[in-house]
Amino acid sequence: MSQKKRLSKTETSSPSEQRQSSTSGAVCEDEDAMFTQPSTSQVQRSLEKLSPSQVDQKAAEVVKYILVKDQKKIPMRRADLVKHVIKEYRNVYPEIMKRVAHTFDQVFGLKLVNTDTKNQSYILINKLEATAGAPSFNSVDPKMGLLFVVLSVIFMKKGVARESLMWNMLGKLGINPIKQHEEFGDVKKVITDEFVRQRYLEYVPIPHTEPPQHNFLWGPRAEVEVSKAKILQFVAELHDRDPQSWKHQYTEAHSSQDSQASSSSQR
Amino acid sequence: MERLRRPSAKEQASRQDGTTRHNSREQQRCNEGSDFDSTNGQDDNERGVRKEIRSKYRDLIDSVHRNREDLLSPSNNKLTEVLEEADKLFVNVRETSEAVLDSKFVVVATDLNDEKASQMRDEDSALDLTAFAEHLLTFMGLNRLESDGEEQSGDQIDGYLPSDAWHRLARRAEDCFRTAPTFRYMLGSFHAEPPPPKQRIERQKRPPGKEAKRIMPTQLKKMEEAEQEATEKEVERILACLKRYHQDDPSSPIPYYEFVIDPDSFSRTIENMFHTSFLIRDGLAQICLDQDKLPNIAPVEEVGMEIPVDAVGSDNRNASIVSISPKIWKELIDTFDIRDAMIPPLNNQ
């Protein structure tokens, strides 16, 4: 700790920087203090004091940390990244994250996405399109099937689905919120807790309801990771109908796909 | 205030519903409402009636919540029926609390109406969940013929679902997701789950360990106590012996060595000497030297029977050490011609 303070003191020269290093040295309870981004010139000055290999080394550590953390699919918060890996390199945080994103893009074919601009949390998504019917190297998690049902119901209900409606639907598939499911265990927890923490779902209370009821919405991870067009295509396939027979959904899926396609064309 | 706002809210709701029949009802109810404003105050004292209205409103709101899905179904007019029921109740509304309940109901009903209206707008494109569920089950490999063989109590599945049903769905749904493949070590690593079971094992192991630790000191204490008790008992037994010999023949002194020596056991001899020393220390027995400078032992009589001070000498606090070795022990046995132990050995040991 004392070493860290000494380090940051030797690094800083101007009074404004001194103030910043003292706030970041403290236990980072204050979120606002945490997310004050050092300015570009500050980053430049701090970078000059570090060798390129030091910064690369740190970026490599962040990559490893994110890969391991991603196993649970819970978004990585900036606060945790700084606390556990970046530590005294926090002054060059933007530069490190730039290199990390570049590594994921070029080496792993993954895209690092910031899902929460205010609190800065990151998820990884696959840049490569999955092809239907291709042999899968990963073992399949049956929870993805459950997640597909939940997301497709929300999507087909135009973005919002009541919790009661959801359980009604899942009940038809043999899933009961108050009973242990042989595949998923505590299903209510999987849907209202795990999927929500992974940011696949939003679980929001409906105002004026007593006892409180909730709505399900797509979470930020689902928005970037899940293709609405493909969901609609699968749903239509199941019904043996043309996807275009759901006009509203078709329009939405393909307008969002356009934006996804345009973002992916930047690759 | 609430009452004034109410009809318009309901009108809006009914407009969304799109049933003109309902609209006319609303109009009618509005008129009724204003009629009752004029007669307000006539039946103020009917507390029972007020209470009944409130409870009916609550029941109504409750039933709307419970039968939500039914009310939303496009195939029936239940929502209209519920609104008509509320209209009937509203006829008798007088007080604020009832009006509040009424407005609560309107909020719920409006919300329902909104949802129902949005369904109507594109009824053809609405997803029928029952059909969707059926298609999903078929895709997951539901075997409808085996419904009787496998008893699925409580679950609404009508048939037998194979164990890999969800895997099958997940595999097909996978291409909807651009999920990053998760990082794994080729030779395996710590599995994400193990820590909790490990802790459980530790917890199970700990309690017996603690108990064993706790038992150890108590056992030691008991042993000490037992030893002390044994010593005390032995001392008392020897005192009883000594007193008996003294009583048998008070005039003749009891030679110390003859008293303590056990000709059959050197170790018992040592024990006897050890225990006898307690008698001397506690002043229950005394040792004096006779003319041949040989020690004699005698019990100290209790009250009034004290041996005169001059017989012992002024320095009665003398401490002396008796040493004995197997060689001396044998010599003593020969010298005093000891055949039997005066202190009988404990048989039970």
Side-chain angles (χ1 to χ4, degrees), chain A residues 182-237:
Chain A
E182 53 182 27
E183 189 77 67
F184 307 118
D186 186 348
V187 192
K188 192 177 161 88
K189 204 183 163 202
V190 171
I191 294 180
T192 63
D193 184 71
E194 190 177 327
F195 287 165
V196 172
R197 276 191 294 131
Q198 293 173 337
R199 313 296 282 129
Y200 277 115
L201 291 179
E202 299 266 15
Y203 183 62
V204 287
I206 305 167
H208 305 297
T209 48
E210 187 63 41
Q213 295 177 33
H214 292 79
N215 273 333
F216 285 111
L217 285 85
W218 277 36
R221 181 193 283 272
E223 295 286 353
V224 291
E225 192 177 298
V226 184
S227 158
K228 284 176 178 167
K230 284 190 171 165
I231 291 249
L232 182 62
Q233 199 190 335
F234 184 22
V235 171
E237 223 170 82

Side-chain angles (χ1 to χ4, degrees), chain B residues 40-252:
Chain B
N40 198 0
Q42 282 182 1
D43 303 316
D44 286 53
N45 298 327
E46 296 168 351
R47 284 182 173 230
V49 177
R50 306 267 76 84
K51 212 172 170 181
E52 201 186 325
I53 289 178
R54 285 201 295 271
S55 95
K56 275 185 179 168
Y57 261 118
R58 283 194 199 99
D59 289 348
L60 197 63
I61 293 171
D62 214 42
S63 79
V64 171
H65 278 307
R66 260 186 287 116
N67 304 318
R68 212 190 136 75
E69 301 312 317
D70 277 351
L71 290 166
L72 281 173
S73 161
S75 56
N76 64 50
N77 271 332
K78 276 188 183 158
L79 190 56
T80 318
E81 285 162 28
V82 175
L83 284 168
E84 278 166 4
E85 214 172 302
D87 283 350
K88 278 180 213 152
L89 285 176
F90 189 70
V91 166
N92 292 315
V93 166
R94 297 275 187 287
E95 288 173 7
T96 327
S97 56
E98 296 146 23
V100 167
L101 280 171
D102 183 71
S103 67
K104 248 188 198 171
F105 168 79
V106 174
V107 169
V108 176
T110 313
D111 180 43
L112 269 176
N113 239 328
D114 176 43
E115 205 168 323
K116 195 169 176 177
S118 69
Q119 273 183 11
M120 289 179 123
R121 230 178 285 139
D122 44 11
E123 200 175 344
D124 55 305
S125 70
L127 184 76
D128 183 350
L129 288 184
T130 313
F132 185 35
E134 282 304 311
H135 291 310
L136 278 171
L137 287 173
T138 309
F139 181 85
M140 285 155 79
L142 182 76
N143 188 341
R144 290 185 170 80
L145 295 172
E146 283 182 38
S147 57
D148 293 327
E150 198 81 6
E151 191 60 46
Q152 300 227 349
S153 57
D155 293 344
Q156 286 138 304
I157 295 184
D158 193 22
Y160 171 74
L161 207 55
S163 59
D164 70 335
W166 286 98
H167 291 265
R168 203 181 291 193
L169 181 62
R171 215 169 298 131
R172 171 61 184 83
E174 212 181 18
D175 77 306
C176 301
F177 293 84
R178 295 199 297 155
T179 309
T182 46
F183 174 88
R184 272 177 302 156
Y185 292 98
M186 285 176 85
L187 296 174
S189 74
F190 301 106
H191 195 264
E193 302 306 327
K198 260 188 193 169
Q199 275 184 339
R200 242 175 266 145
I201 292 162
E202 274 174 37
R203 261 174 224 152
Q204 276 172 349
K205 274 182 182 172
R206 249 175 236 156
K210 272 183 186 170
E211 268 171 43
K213 271 180 197 167
R214 237 179 275 136
I215 284 167
M216 285 302 284
T218 51
Q219 272 180 341
L220 277 172
K221 261 183 201 168
K222 270 184 186 166
M223 277 167 69
E224 273 174 10
E225 265 175 30
E227 220 167 58
Q228 234 173 14
E229 272 173 22
T231 310
E232 272 169 31
K233 272 186 186 165
E234 190 60 11
V235 170
E236 273 169 30
R237 193 176 72 94
I238 290 170
L239 181 62
C241 263
L242 185 63
K243 281 185 177 168
R244 202 164 56 239
Y245 288 121
H246 185 70
Q247 264 170 7
D248 285 350
D249 192 358
S251 53
S252 64

Side-chain angles (χ1 to χ4, degrees), chain A:
Chain A
M1 186 68 192
S2 62
Q3 197 189 357
K4 202 192 290 175
K5 263 185 185 161
R6 193 151 41 82
L7 199 87
S8 54
K9 251 178 208 165
T10 51
E11 276 174 9
T12 53
S13 48
S14 73
S16 68
E17 274 181 343
Q18 206 130 26
R19 193 165 2 100
Q20 201 209 331
S21 70
S22 67
T23 50
S24 53
V27 182
C28 306
E29 292 278 322
D30 188 357
E31 299 267 298
D32 283 340
M34 266 307 298
F35 300 125
T36 45
Q37 291 272 3
S39 71
T40 323
S41 60
Q42 279 176 324
V43 174
Q44 279 305 321
R45 241 176 296 158
S46 305
L47 267 179
E48 282 163 18
K49 301 198 169 69
L50 297 163
S51 72
S53 65
Q54 276 178 307
V55 181
D56 279 339
Q57 169 70 25
K58 207 30 115 177
E61 283 174 24
V62 175
V63 167
K64 270 187 207 162
Y65 178 82
I66 290 177
L67 279 174
V68 175
K69 278 289 256 189
D70 184 58
Q71 289 173 320
K72 293 212 157 180
K73 293 287 169 200
I74 292 168
M76 272 76 53
R77 298 190 307 133
R78 182 201 147 126
D80 289 335
L81 282 175
V82 171
K83 192 172 148 200
H84 298 302
V85 197
I86 295 181
K87 294 175 185 170
E88 67 271 18
Y89 285 71
R90 68 181 79 236
N91 286 341
V92 292
Y93 178 83
E95 177 61 27
I96 288 176
M97 290 316 286
K98 211 164 84 189
R99 292 186 192 197
V100 168
H102 185 257
T103 307
F104 276 123
D105 190 275
Q106 296 296 309
V107 181
F108 294 92
L110 302 174
K111 193 173 167 194
L112 188 69
V113 183
N114 189 351
T115 54
D116 184 346
T117 41
K118 185 167 161 270
N119 292 317
Q120 303 243 27
S121 61
Y122 300 91
I123 61 166
L124 282 180
I125 61 166
N126 201 341
K127 286 210 325 169
L128 308 170
E129 297 279 334
T131 38
S136 170
F137 295 104
N138 280 328
S139 57
V140 191
D141 187 353
K143 278 178 189 165
M144 291 311 251
L146 180 65
L147 183 59
F148 164 75
V149 173
V150 175
L151 288 176
S152 60
V153 168
I154 298 170
F155 175 60
M156 297 312 282
K157 290 280 165 194
K158 295 179 183 166
V160 189
R162 287 249 178 183
E163 185 172 13
S164 55
L165 177 123
M166 193 60 79
W167 291 121
N168 187 327
M169 168 70 192
L170 292 172
K172 296 185 209 299
L173 304 175
I175 289 173
N176 190 321
I178 51 167
K179 270 166 78 182
Q180 286 283 315
H181 190 269
E182 53 182 27
E183 189 77 67
F184 307 118
D186 186 348
V187 192
K188 192 177 161 88
K189 204 183 163 202
V190 171
I191 294 180
T192 63
D193 184 71
E194 190 177 327
F195 287 165
V196 172
R197 276 191 294 131
Q198 293 173 337
R199 313 296 282 129
Y200 277 115
L201 291 179
E202 299 266 15
Y203 183 62
V204 287
I206 305 167
H208 305 297
T209 48
E210 187 63 41
Q213 295 177 33
H214 292 79
N215 273 333
F216 285 111
L217 285 85
W218 277 36
R221 181 193 283 272
E223 295 286 353
V224 291
E225 192 177 298
V226 184
S227 158
K228 284 176 178 167
K230 284 190 171 165
I231 291 249
L232 182 62
Q233 199 190 335
F234 184 22
V235 171
E237 223 170 82
L238 287 169
H239 286 77
D240 201 13
R241 278 168 70 174
D242 186 350
Q244 297 207 39
S245 60
W246 287 279
K247 280 199 192 75
H248 177 95
Q249 283 82 356
Y250 188 82
T251 321
E252 194 192 331
H254 287 269
S255 64
S256 65
Q257 202 194 28
D258 288 345
S259 66
Q260 273 180 6
S262 67
S263 72
S264 57
S265 67
Q266 289 171 353
R267 291 176 206 161

Side-chain angles (χ1 to χ4, degrees), chain B residues 238-239 242-243 245-246 249-250 252-260 272-273 275-277 279-280 284-290 294-300 307 342-343:
Chain B
I238 290 170
L239 181 62
L242 185 63
K243 281 185 177 168
Y245 288 121
H246 185 70
D249 192 358
S252 64
I254 305 161
Y256 173 71
Y257 285 117
E258 279 180 52
F259 181 66
V260 294
N272 288 340
M273 287 169 74
H275 291 129
T276 310
S277 70
L279 292 178
I280 310 295
L284 293 167
Q286 59 177 359
I287 292 175
C288 334
L289 299 179
D290 63 5
L294 284 171
N296 284 337
I297 187 165
V300 173
I307 288 169
M342 280 181 82
I343 302 167

